[in-house]
Structures are given as structure tokens and as C-alpha cells.
Amino acid sequence: MAGRPGGQEGPADPVLDRAFALLNSFDPGNRTLSLSELARRADLPVSTALRLIRRLVTLGALERRGTKYVIGVRLWEIASLSRSLGLRDVAMPVMGDLAAATQQHVLLVVLDGTEAVLLERLSGRAAVPVLYRVGGRMPLHSTASGLVLLAHMDPERQEEILQRPLMHVPEQVRVDATALRRTLADVRRNGVITLRRGAPAPLVAVAAPVRGESDAVIASLSVVMRAGSFDPARVGPAVVAGARAISRGLGSPGATVLPDPATDGSPPVAGPAVTNVGSIALTSTT
């Protein structure tokens, strides 16, 4: 069986697997689906799909709208208990301050298995177009927020990802694994990364790690801005300070230590990791 979104394997349960296949049939472009569409997308016989759908409707996981179905409110009620939404509650005031100051995108991203998930995004009206929606999955190796999470991932899982043939999307540029490893080391050392890329529009992203109660990295905070709109060297300290503030709100022991007044919590002037997604590969210029 294929790996699950949570990144862990377990004994197969046909009923649960089929029920989740039905729920996973929905996506931003398919919020309302008929019985036949659900059966086809979940690769199930129509009779099996109908039996499971009826049960999911009874439980509130799905709702019927005429001849079609939508995700039910009960799933949202359950999702509201997620640890990620507690993180969101702590992060929102900080994100609001960054969004007000920059009028750009401010992203809060968490790790799920071997992918990043965009938990929340605040966006200014003049912000550059971005590829990822709230609740959507993002590549770890090709986004500033993802690189922060990848840099602090368990070494075995990190190496599993690095062994794959990685490509930048949408540039379709192959990632140089050696350069990527160097970039990840820079992120761990400096605590912040600046990513420059040309698609879907020229942009710059600055990201820093958010830590939880055990001081482990549990999320990343980033600002994504139109190239030339702000100096990343000025935005970087604000992102780092914001990530520290969220970490402190989550009870991170390291975040409660007062920063050096000489740096005000900013990374060393020696420079954050600067990564360019261009026509050749991922390269570190630190």
C-alpha cells in the first residue's frame, strides 16, 4: 500500500482505506461530486461507494446536496481539534503584524509526512501570485518554508527525500542534491533562508523555523514577496523575530532566552542561506 499522508505505514483496513479514498476524492476543483464521480475517483465499485457514502452521510462526514455530495461539517469540527490549529491561533497575531508591515504573503507551513502543508496564509492585495492554497501540499525541496522543515527533519527521513530525483516546479529544473545538502546545512546554522525564483513570477521568500514545547521545529514562518519590493536583508530579521515570538507562545524553552541585544535576535551578519532557483540548479551562495 502507498504511504499515507501522515508518513506512517500500518495494517491495511479495507473499510477505512475505502472511506478515506472517497474523502480524498474531493479537492479545490471538485468540492461537489456525484456518486459515479466519487466511485470513479476512489476506484471503487458503485455499489461499494454507495454503501460507504451513506454511512459517511449518517456520521456527518459527508452531506448530500441533491444528487451530489460535499464534505460534511463534522469533519471540520474534528479538524478543529488538530494540534496545527492551536499553532495557528498562536501564530495569527504575529502573521497579521508581518502582513500589515509588508502587504505581501505571510505563510505558516507544517510538516506532514514527507510534504509541507500550508496551514495559513495572509495576503496583501498587491502580493505576487503564488502556487499553493491553504490546506494544499508544497514540496519540501523547492520552497523556502519547505527547506526550513526539510533542514530540521529526522536525518533518515531527510536522506530518503534527498535520494529521490527532485525537480523544481514549475521551472522543471533538476535539483543538485549536493548543493541542496549544503543549503540545508546553512539553514540549520543560520536559522533563516532566502529563496529567489522566477516562477510563477519573480519573487523572493524568507523563512525561519518555529519551535514547539520540546524545542523541535514544528513549522516554518515565511514572507513571500515580489522581487524588488523589499530588501530581504531587512525582512529576514522580522521573520526570525516573528518565528521566535510564535515559538515563545508555544512554550519553546529556547525561545524564552533573551536574544543578544547586538543582533536583536537576528541571524549573524555572516548571512542567511541564499538559494536561487534558476536555469541550472539549486545553489547556495553563502
Side-chain angles (χ1 to χ4, degrees):
M1 180 180 174
R4 298 172 182 177
Q8 298 179 350
E9 294 289 349
D13 184 316
V15 175
L16 283 176
D17 292 346
R18 291 168 183 168
F20 268 89
L22 288 168
L23 296 175
N24 283 329
S25 297
F26 295 91
D27 58 41
N30 296 276
R31 298 177 184 270
T32 304
L33 294 170
S34 66
L35 169 61
S36 60
E37 289 169 332
L38 281 164
R40 176 177 54 80
R41 292 170 70 88
D43 195 23
L44 293 173
V46 172
S47 59
T48 301
L50 178 59
R51 174 172 55 82
L52 290 171
I53 288 169
R54 284 174 173 169
R55 185 58 182 160
L56 289 170
V57 168
T58 300
L59 295 172
L62 291 179
E63 294 178 6
R64 185 168 181 172
R65 301 280 178 86
T67 61
K68 296 196 172 185
Y69 299 89
V70 298
I71 293 292
V73 173
R74 181 56 183 153
L75 283 187
W76 172 251
E77 292 175 333
I78 294 171
S80 69
L81 303 175
S82 165
R83 52 93 180 171
S84 295
L85 291 187
L87 163 64
R88 177 186 177 278
D89 290 342
V90 174
M92 283 298 286
V94 175
M95 296 178 66
D97 288 345
L98 281 173
T102 64
Q103 293 298 307
Q104 303 293 314
H105 299 292
V106 181
L107 279 60
L108 182 66
V109 177
V110 296
L111 182 68
D112 186 33
T114 58
E115 293 178 297
V117 175
L118 179 53
L119 182 62
E120 185 57 89
R121 181 180 73 212
L122 300 182
S123 303
R125 292 184 178 179
V128 65
V130 291
L131 295 173
Y132 307 107
R133 64 176 180 85
V134 174
R137 293 180 178 270
M138 307 164 61
L140 290 173
H141 65 279
S142 194
T143 58
S145 291
L147 286 166
V148 167
L149 297 174
L150 181 58
H152 294 90
M153 185 182 288
D154 174 84
E156 290 186 6
R157 295 174 67 197
Q158 182 187 97
E159 190 59 30
E160 175 189 337
I161 294 172
L162 294 178
Q163 292 294 330
R164 300 174 183 174
L166 301 175
M167 298 286 289
H168 289 299
V169 178
E171 294 92 346
Q172 292 302 309
V173 176
R174 182 175 292 277
V175 176
D176 182 322
T178 300
L180 177 55
R181 286 186 173 88
R182 186 166 59 247
T183 295
L184 297 178
D186 289 338
V187 174
R188 289 190 292 271
R189 180 173 62 254
N190 297 304
V192 63
I193 183 171
T194 297
L195 177 72
R196 306 178 189 275
R197 66 189 316 162
L203 60 82
V204 180
V206 182
V210 174
R211 298 179 183 272
E213 291 182 356
S214 66
D215 250 4
V217 173
I218 61 170
S220 60
L221 177 72
S222 65
V223 171
V224 179
M225 50 199 164
R226 190 179 302 275
S229 58
F230 283 91
D231 180 359
R234 296 180 60 191
V235 175
V239 175
V240 171
R244 176 182 285 272
I246 297 170
S247 301
R248 188 162 53 246
L250 295 170
S252 166
T256 60
V257 178
L258 292 176
D260 185 339
T263 63
D264 192 27
S266 304
V269 179
V274 180
T275 300
N276 300 290
V277 178
S279 59
I280 301 175
L282 186 74
T283 57
S284 174
T285 60
T286 55

